[in-house]
Every structure is written in C-alpha cells, then in structure tokens.
Amino acid sequence: MTENAPDSLTGHALIQDYLKTLDSSPGVYRMLDAQARVLYVGKARNLRARVSNYARPAGHSGRIARMISETASMMFLTTQTETEALLLEQNLIKQLKPRYNVLLRDDKSFPNILVTGAHDFPQITKHRGAKKQKGRYYGPFASAGAVNRTLNQLQKVFLLRNCSDSMFSSRTRPCLLYQIKRCSGPCVGKISAEDYAATVKDAEQFLSGRSTEIQEALAAQMMAASEAMEFERAAALRDRIRALTQVQTVQGINPRTVQEADIVALHLEKGQACVQVFFIRAGQNWGNRDFYPRVGVDIEAPEVLEAFLGQFYDSKDPARQLILSHPIDDPDLMAEALGQKLGRKVEILVPQRGEKAELVDGALRNARESLARKMSESATQTKLLNGLAEAFALDAAPKRIEVYDNSHIQGTNAVGGMIVAGPEGFLKNQYRKFNIKGDDLTPGDDFGMMKEVLTRRFKRLLKEDPDREKGMWPDLLLIDGGAGQVSAVQEIMEEHGVEDIPMVGVAKGVDRDHGKEEFHRPGARPFALQRNDPVLYFIQRMRDEAHRFAIGTHRAKRAKAIGATPLDDVPGVGATRKRALLAHFGSAKAVSRAALADLKAVDGISEALAQSIYDFFHEKG
C-alpha cells in the first residue's frame, strides 16, 4: 500500500515522517521520485528498522545519498515472512527495473537435453523453455552449442534417434544418420525395442554422471563378442568406447568431488561487473555463461551477488549447491527462498580451500578476463559513437541507433526488420520484425513497406512512452536507401509529429560497392567517408546486420508459407489431425476431394469434424 506524507517533504525529512506509521513487520518498500517513477525496491526483516537507516542525514554512499535526495514518496507492502519479502522484492525489481537497484539485463532461458517419453523408441533432442513435454530432462547447459556438441557425441556412442515422431512413423528405409553410424535405425526395425531401451538407459546413466560404469560394461561386452568371434559387433562396441572417451575429453576438466553445483563468481571493476556461472551436473562441466548486471561505482560485492542470485533464479531452477566467490549478507535466507521454490534443500557455500575453491578461482579468472574484454569493446564502441556524432553533426553521441531494412521476393512474404545498436554493441533483445500487412501495396513497393514499418513503430512508441523516459526512443535512424527514402521517412515522421530525431540514408554509391557509400540527410548535400574510416566500417556492420536480420526473417516466413496447406485454415484441424489426414490421403488436394464417408474413416477424425472438413472445402468451391 502507499503511505501518504506531506507534499512539502522530500529526502530524509520525508522518510523520517514515514517512520511514524511503520511497524516491525517484514515486507518490501519502494522509493519513488516526484514523477512517481520507482527509484529503488528493497526488502526488510523489520520495515521500521530498515527504513530508519535512510532517515539519517549522513553516513551514506554517494549512490544512496542521491537516491534519498530524489525520493518524494514511498510505498510499503508487508509480508508474512522475510522469505516472501525476498521473493517479492526480486519480482518487483525485474518488473519495474528501478534506477538504483542492481539489475540483471540478460535473462535468457538455458537449453536442456530431453529424452522423450510415451514412445517405444524415445527421441533424444535439445529443448528450451517450459518443461511441458513428457520425458526426462538433463541440464541446464550454458549454450545451444554446448548441447549440440553433447548431442553429437551421444549419437556416436548410443545411436539414439533425433528425428520427430512424424518422420519416424513415415520412414520406409533408413536415413543417412543410420548409414554414417549415428542412429541404430529403429524406424525400420534395425534394432529391437528391448535393445533400444537398453541404449536409452545407458545414455541416461551417462547424463547422470555414471560414464565409468557404462565404459566398463561396454568393454566387457566387447571382450565377450571378440571371444565369440563376433568381430563386427566387437568393432562397433570399440567405436562406441572411443566416442565415449572423446565425449569426456571434449567436456574439459570435470570436477572430482562436485556432482551438482552452480559456480557463481563476481568481478567488479570501475563501476562495472561481470558474473560468471559454471554449470556442473552429474560430475560434468556443462559450460559457462557470463552476465553483466547494471551496477554503480560505489556498490559492494555482497549486494551485487545477492541481487544477481535472486533475479537469476527467479525463472530458473538452482542446483543443489551454489558455490560463490563472495559471501552475501544473508545466505540462510537466500537458501531458504531458493529451496522453497525448488522443493528441496539448496546449500550456499563460499569455499576457502580444496577443489571447490579451485573451481571458484577458475570462474573468477574467466569473469575478470571477460570484463576486461567487454570494457575494451565498450571503449572502442564509445569512440565509434563519438565519431558517428561528428560525421553526421549530431548534438551528442547516440545511445540508441535503429536501423531499418525490408526483405521480399517480388513483393511476396514481405517483412521489415529493425535492429538496435548502442554503447554496448548490438542489442539483439531489442530487435523487431514487422510482417507487412498493407493489402493496397504494390508488390515490391519499398517506400510503402518502409512507411508501414515506421508508422507502426512510432505509433507504438507514442502510445507506450510518450514522454520518452523509458529509453525506447532512438537518437538516430539509419535507413537503407538514398535521398528518396530519406524524404519519405521524413514525411512519415512529420505526420506523427516527430521531427527531432536525426535520420541518415545509407546508399550503395558508385558501382554499389562497399566503401563507396553515400550518406543522405534531410536538407543537406550527400557526402561520403574515407574508405579506411572506422566509422564507415561501423555503419557497414550495422547495415549488414539489419540486412541479415531482415533476410533471415523473410526466409523463415517463406519457409512457413511453403509448408502451409489449406488444411491449416480448417477449424478443429491441428497438427496431429493434419498429419493423420495427409498420411491417409497423401495430399491436401486429395483431402479436399474426399467423400464424407472417406473422411470419417480416418483415425482421430470424428463424424462432426469430418462433416466440418467436407463443408469447408465444398463451400470454397
């Protein structure tokens, strides 16, 4: 709830006034500025005691002192326990993104390996997202690359299928993977269900960290086959043992005493932070990922690490052990909150010696090196942005550059793409695609497509951030095209009352050659940059990235269109029934011509749905 205070009070005096109505309950507090924007979200075991710290006129760091001086109101929400307060605090931080909180900016999900259930011959595949599909999940892996490498080696060792169920059921002869000894060919009966189940069990044992037992069992089988003079089978088992050894080598240094843990190491330097997370599962190193949370110059490691853990594990399951590089203020509370979410005990450690300390040292070294690289890249990026401002006569270096491009083939499957660049490089989570919807557009009308894209973009900006306070507005627009495109874009912006955003058209120039680009600005003569100018290379990179993104989006849309059939538009026909109809009749055209009685004969098609399908095609003529 919001507590009211006299309008004339701000800062320490305001906070002191709030203390009159606060009790010792646990809860969450929010500090807001004069425009009601959230400055900070915090938790407290005792709200009155915690908030009283801010009422002191001195003894604060520069960051906290600035925050207090900007505070014009506060909001409080009591909870039953401090654990509830911690969980609520992290949810609110992720939702509101307050200026003075440590903020985790990269929060993507991690891939897993899935061994599917509900099939006589389970599939092994990569999975990302909610774990809704039946089967057993192993992970997380740090990246798609780490999963793909492991899957590739597992195929060599265990010969499990990775094809979809529909492809499996439609095969009449083995695929290429069988020929190159990456699959045992269960789709055409090359292996029995019992033998396939045994290899699935071995694969799951390996993913559970029991690779030594599997190796010993395979070695014993190889010796038995050799003694029985089954030399072909012995050679196949030998190849599997070699592949299994290679898997263990590829995974790098695996811990001897740690079965399941997340190694979390933090390096702070000059107001920037890097957190390295290493994933140890089943005694194996399943990769690492670096994160760069938003921090301040005068912030301490315990606060950064605690905020990171709360936000990182808000949407992910923690390991049984979290091995940290620095202590946090209340590890027991964090462990209780994470254990409550996971449904089992979570242990938080800060090791001082032994193998765990060695693992932390390795993660810390990675964090330090990663931050050094990022700071170097940021310095280069800052120099490029300053050069861009000088080249295009901007008032200041742009913090957000939006680059637009269109892609189509003679007007079909037209899409628009927007990429974003700034001080931290390409911001891929800010990229946007636009399916061109204008029915009145002439095929191939690039001006019309650009008008639709920019109209939709700026209508949304004007609706969601009319005061330009959320960092969503661009400081510079780069358009793929010359004077005509720039003039058209200028008209579009003026129609929406947006006339203060600089825009530059990037034309190919003479011979449409890299290095001969011409730049067009409203009301100015076109000009070019020197061929060896780093700013020119930077602009080329941005334009090429926009082109790559637009082309990729167009290809995905085209591929989807190619795979589409009239059955996609029939009410009640989803993917499963579509497959059943195509398997029964052979094509969508044959379905459209089928008699009602024939439609009723298809497995999974009820009389009512058969009638609906029949009516759909006959009404269409």
Side-chain angles (χ1 to χ4, degrees), residues 401-421:
I401 305 168
E402 292 185 356
V403 191
Y404 293 86
D405 196 9
N406 298 324
S407 183
H408 59 90
I409 293 179
Q410 295 180 345
T412 62
N413 300 312
V415 295
M418 177 194 85
I419 67 123
V420 181

Side-chain angles (χ1 to χ4, degrees), residues 371-384:
L371 185 58
R373 285 193 299 271
K374 184 170 181 64
M375 290 172 72
S376 175
E377 291 167 2
S378 296
T380 302
Q381 190 77 358
T382 300
K383 187 182 291 185
L384 289 171

Side-chain angles (χ1 to χ4, degrees), residues 32-106:
L32 296 85
D33 66 10
Q35 285 76 44
R37 294 173 297 199
V38 180
L39 298 171
Y40 185 80
V41 176
K43 69 174 187 312
R45 177 183 290 113
N46 180 324
L47 277 172
R48 180 178 172 80
R50 182 72 185 91
V51 173
S52 66
N53 291 331
Y54 297 114
R56 300 196 316 266
H60 303 291
S61 67
R63 178 176 68 99
I64 299 301
R66 287 193 303 275
M67 180 181 75
I68 291 171
S69 68
E70 293 176 28
T71 301
S73 63
M74 294 185 72
M75 296 177 69
F76 304 93
L77 184 63
T78 59
T79 58
Q80 293 293 321
T81 65
E82 191 183 1
T83 302
E84 288 180 24
L86 172 62
L87 296 173
L88 178 59
E89 175 202 32
Q90 299 305 332
N91 284 334
L92 287 173
I93 290 172
K94 291 184 72 173
Q95 177 186 339
L96 300 172
K97 297 178 172 55
R99 188 190 319 166
Y100 288 100
N101 280 96
V102 174
L103 187 64
L104 176 60
R105 292 176 286 194
D106 182 3

